[in-house]
Amino acid sequence: MKNPHYEYLGRRMREYHRTHQWRLSDGGLYIPHAYSNMGPESLSYWDDVGFILNGRRIIVWWQHPRHVYAEAISSMAWEEAGDGPRDNWLWEGATKNYKIVGKSSKRKKLSSFTSRDPSAAQTQHYAKLHQIEERLTHDGIELKVQPSWKWERLRWAMGVSLVAPMEVRNEQELAKVARLARELILQKTTLAQEFPGFVYDRASWLRDHAVLAARPPC
């Protein structure tokens, strides 16, 4: 039995694709990012890639497990640091900047704002947060990240959230992510087949952290 809501979303996807064409690479991929800052030994964290399948757009939001782990460290640091003083320094007390308009140069128009400095209490809270995050980054946390994927129907595309231990440092490696996503959608493979028994844990994070620490600063 067909689902009217899914049928509607499918029609919207195909209609959107017809009227808003993607700029695709020679390999038929939508590649939104450049890789000029990535070397052959770089560690990658996340990326996006798109392709067309059966007349519908597929957008893949890929993450390496180390990125999921790093985000968990950041969240844990915020939780441990607790609530800050809620100093809205970005907006409250900002200085208004004007620019001269008109031929007479007598009129001025608001063009931007200059934020004030954070309060002493806010600065101390940020310093505490930074110290906690540095400690958790150095020591690692108790977390195990396994490959996973899920998809969702959007009005303009089918979205695929993919966590997989692949390195993406150039367009050729990004194409492998797109190929994996396509085969997962078509049920030609599974993550258990592609990455049997893979788990990213504290030991994995500390190995990656040691690799980064051993490299000279940019």
Side-chain angles (χ1 to χ4, degrees):
M1 182 176 176
K2 294 183 178 180
N3 186 309
H5 178 64
Y6 289 163
E7 290 292 310
Y8 167 74
L9 288 178
R11 290 193 300 271
R12 290 295 301 268
M13 288 182 209
R14 288 189 289 269
E15 179 183 348
Y16 190 89
H17 176 56
R18 284 195 300 269
T19 57
H20 300 79
Q21 292 292 314
W22 261 345
R23 291 185 178 181
L24 302 180
S25 68
D26 293 339
L29 299 179
Y30 171 65
I31 302 175
H33 304 130
Y35 301 93
S36 57
N37 64 330
M38 301 291 284
E41 301 301 323
S42 297
L43 299 181
S44 47
Y45 290 82
W46 64 271
D47 210 338
D48 306 324
V49 63
F51 56 89
I52 309 302
L53 181 62
N54 297 330
R56 299 179 185 180
R57 290 184 178 186
I58 310 295
I59 183 70
V60 182
W61 304 298
W62 165 80
Q63 296 182 88
H64 192 284
R66 73 171 63 95
H67 184 255
V68 177
Y69 196 98
E71 290 293 291
I73 286 178
S74 180
S75 296
M76 191 173 293
W78 277 96
E79 183 176 349
E80 185 175 332
D83 293 333
R86 301 187 184 278
D87 174 25
N88 192 12
W89 60 275
L90 283 174
W91 302 108
E92 292 181 357
T95 301
K96 296 180 179 180
N97 302 313
Y98 297 89
K99 65 178 181 180
I100 303 300
V101 296
K103 294 182 179 180
S104 64
S105 299
K106 293 182 179 180
R107 292 188 296 122
K108 61 182 181 179
K109 179 181 178 181
L110 181 65
S111 61
S112 63
F113 292 87
T114 299
S115 299
R116 63 177 172 82
D117 291 334
S119 66
Q122 187 70 60
T123 300
Q124 290 175 358
H125 181 72
Y126 286 152
K128 177 184 177 181
L129 174 66
H130 181 67
Q131 290 174 353
I132 294 171
E133 192 159 5
E134 278 195 332
R135 171 171 54 79
L136 296 178
T137 298
H138 180 270
D139 297 343
I141 60 176
E142 287 298 328
L143 178 67
K144 294 183 178 181
V145 184
Q146 296 177 309
S148 64
W149 80 288
K150 64 179 180 179
W151 63 275
E152 57 184 302
R153 295 176 185 265
L154 309 171
R155 290 179 180 269
W156 60 277
M158 174 177 165
V160 176
S161 299
L162 175 61
V163 177
M166 309 168 72
E167 297 296 345
V168 178
R169 297 160 292 205
N170 51 57
E171 293 186 5
Q172 292 73 32
E173 291 180 337
L174 184 66
K176 295 179 181 179
V177 172
R179 190 177 307 117
L180 173 60
R182 184 190 301 268
E183 293 184 353
L184 288 169
I185 294 169
L186 297 175
Q187 299 183 352
K188 292 184 176 181
T189 190
T190 66
L191 292 176
Q193 288 176 303
E194 298 293 328
F195 313 103
F198 179 87
V199 175
Y200 191 95
D201 55 12
R202 185 199 296 264
S204 310
W205 172 260
L206 294 179
R207 282 195 300 270
D208 285 345
H209 190 58
V211 169
L212 293 175
R215 293 178 180 173
C218 298

